[in-house]
Amino acid sequence: MKVDVTNESLPIFEALSSKVRIQIIQILAKQSMNITALAESVGLSTAIMTMHIKKLERGGIIRTKMVPGKAGVQKICELGVDKIEVLFPQKYLASRDYQETSLSVGHYTDFSVEPTCGLATPEKIIGEFDEPRYFLDQERVNAKILWFGKGYIEYKVPNFLHSKYIPEELEISMEISSEAPFTNDNWPSDITFYLNDIELGKWTSPGDFGDNRGKYTPSWWPGIVNQYGLLKRLRVTNEGTYMDGNWLSDVTIEDIKIREKQWTFRIAVHDEEVHVGGVTLFGKGFGNYDQDILFRLYYKTEVTSGREAEPVAD
């Protein structure tokens, strides 16, 4: 996993800022354990251990899964990363030029969704809960949160990169979670991402979070439904596609027709997945990160006749 020194990486640093959580990581490095066994290992109650596990999950340090046990189901915890590389500003940003496009979650161009589903502006719900027809409502362009149980949402993204520039990496960041009826921190969802009809890869969201109110979530928003998501970064590079620094697929930037004047970005939950747990997308005014879906195309400037090309769109 690669992280930069920005506010978006705070959940990772917070997850590591505890002696108890460091001890948990050391234990899980040797073997996976359920929460009860972990609590016994470090001498804590299961309630306190659950809070520590949630912080480690939010930071992407560990992942959990529900498996059958002797008395019902149990949550098994395991490490989700084997190393973390911290990229300081001078390394991460060193002479990297990029063009950025921010796309509101309501500016989708195609969809096919099934309940539970809905969308809302920062001021109000659009239409009714669990009625896909409202995804065609004229107010949908103002939506800053949307959710669906299965199906897909699709966006058209303009590409303004000058033809003389050489694209090197595409980064797509968004605040996202699963979609459970009401909320459920343990509600995995297999979410697949596509660009220009090429499958970038699949990421399993751990849950639909409602234990704390989102930092930017409006005060009128009901407390019993989605409150915030996880900030995830998809990076398509010359070597492959990564989610938060973890390998996702072998799809490279050359594979996705990056020089097209318009990209098509799709987020989908398919019927045939193991975890059909839906999607919630958070934009500005909702969740913990005050941003919409952000596209950054990093490039290098081709030197011609001793001078660099001007950043003018075609």
Side-chain angles (χ1 to χ4, degrees):
M1 177 190 291
K2 292 183 180 180
V3 298
D4 51 12
V5 185
T6 62
N7 290 337
E8 286 80 4
S9 299
L10 282 176
I12 299 169
F13 298 127
E14 182 181 359
L16 297 171
S17 64
S18 160
K19 291 182 179 179
V20 172
R21 292 193 286 276
I22 294 298
Q23 189 177 357
I24 293 169
I25 291 170
Q26 292 170 340
I27 293 170
L28 293 179
K30 299 175 183 177
Q31 62 178 355
S32 301
M33 278 192 181
N34 63 32
I35 288 183
T36 301
L38 275 172
E40 291 174 354
S41 297
V42 298
L44 294 174
S45 69
T46 55
I48 296 298
M49 178 56 64
T50 298
M51 289 193 291
H52 284 297
I53 292 300
K54 284 181 178 180
K55 286 184 180 292
L56 288 165
E57 275 190 289
R58 287 175 200 149
I61 309 298
I62 69 168
R63 53 176 174 258
T64 62
K65 57 184 178 182
M66 304 302 290
V67 300
K70 293 181 179 179
V73 294
Q74 58 179 334
K75 179 186 279 190
I76 299 296
C77 307
E78 58 186 23
L79 282 184
V81 295
D82 56 5
K83 65 178 180 179
I84 297 177
E85 182 181 358
V86 180
L87 305 177
F88 282 83
Q90 61 268 28
K91 179 179 178 182
Y92 185 68
L93 299 175
S95 63
R96 297 195 78 197
D97 295 313
Y98 63 85
Q99 288 197 346
E100 182 175 282
T101 299
S102 181
L103 207 62
S104 175
V105 300
H107 283 207
Y108 50 85
T109 54
D110 193 13
F111 71 94
S112 176
V113 301
E114 295 184 30
T116 53
C117 62
L119 61 171
T121 73
E123 292 77 34
K124 63 178 182 177
I125 302 291
I126 296 175
E128 302 172 3
F129 284 168
D130 300 336
E131 178 47 76
R133 287 180 297 175
Y134 285 104
F135 276 67
L136 290 171
D137 190 284
Q138 63 182 3
E139 283 197 81
R140 67 187 186 276
V141 295
N142 299 317
K144 293 297 184 179
I145 185 174
L146 65 81
W147 62 97
F148 56 91
K150 60 182 175 180
Y152 68 86
I153 200 86
E154 190 172 275
Y155 299 87
K156 298 293 186 185
V157 188
N159 174 18
F160 297 112
L161 190 69
H162 195 290
S163 60
K164 292 185 178 181
Y165 293 166
I166 302 172
E168 291 189 306
E169 177 181 316
L170 176 65
E171 178 186 274
I172 308 170
S173 65
M174 71 208 88
E175 186 173 354
I176 188 171
S177 75
S178 309
E179 162 48 28
F182 300 104
T183 66
N184 190 332
D185 288 359
N186 300 304
W187 190 267
S189 184
D190 298 331
I191 303 172
T192 307
F193 302 92
Y194 299 83
L195 195 80
N196 294 336
D197 298 322
I198 303 295
E199 181 178 332
L200 299 178
K202 186 187 305 179
W203 168 70
T204 301
S205 169
D208 181 13
F209 307 108
D211 55 328
N212 293 304
R213 194 161 194 86
K215 182 178 179 181
Y216 297 100
T217 298
S219 58
W220 64 267
W221 184 251
I224 58 172
V225 294
N226 342 54
Q227 296 297 316
Y228 64 90
L230 303 175
L231 186 66
K232 308 303 291 184
R233 286 191 178 88
L234 268 172
R235 286 192 174 98
V236 188
T237 72
N238 289 315
E239 289 75 40
T241 299
Y242 301 83
M243 177 71 85
D244 297 335
N246 296 310
W247 180 88
L248 211 60
S249 75
D250 290 326
V251 175
T252 69
I253 199 164
E254 290 298 323
D255 297 328
I256 58 174
K257 307 172 188 173
I258 196 64
R259 288 195 178 276
E260 293 288 324
K261 302 298 183 186
Q262 177 179 272
W263 306 323
T264 302
F265 180 58
R266 176 179 287 201
I267 303 170
V269 174
H270 300 299
D271 244 337
E272 65 273 14
E273 299 293 356
V274 175
H275 305 109
V276 184
V279 168
T280 303
L281 285 172
F282 301 81
K284 283 189 173 182
F286 281 90
N288 283 343
Y289 303 93
D290 199 25
Q291 71 162 69
D292 293 313
I293 306 173
L294 201 61
F295 297 81
R296 281 185 177 180
L297 181 58
Y298 291 90
Y299 64 89
K300 61 182 178 181
T301 304
E302 187 177 62
V303 178
T304 307
S305 302
R307 59 179 297 196
E308 292 187 347
E310 294 295 325
V312 179
D314 286 341

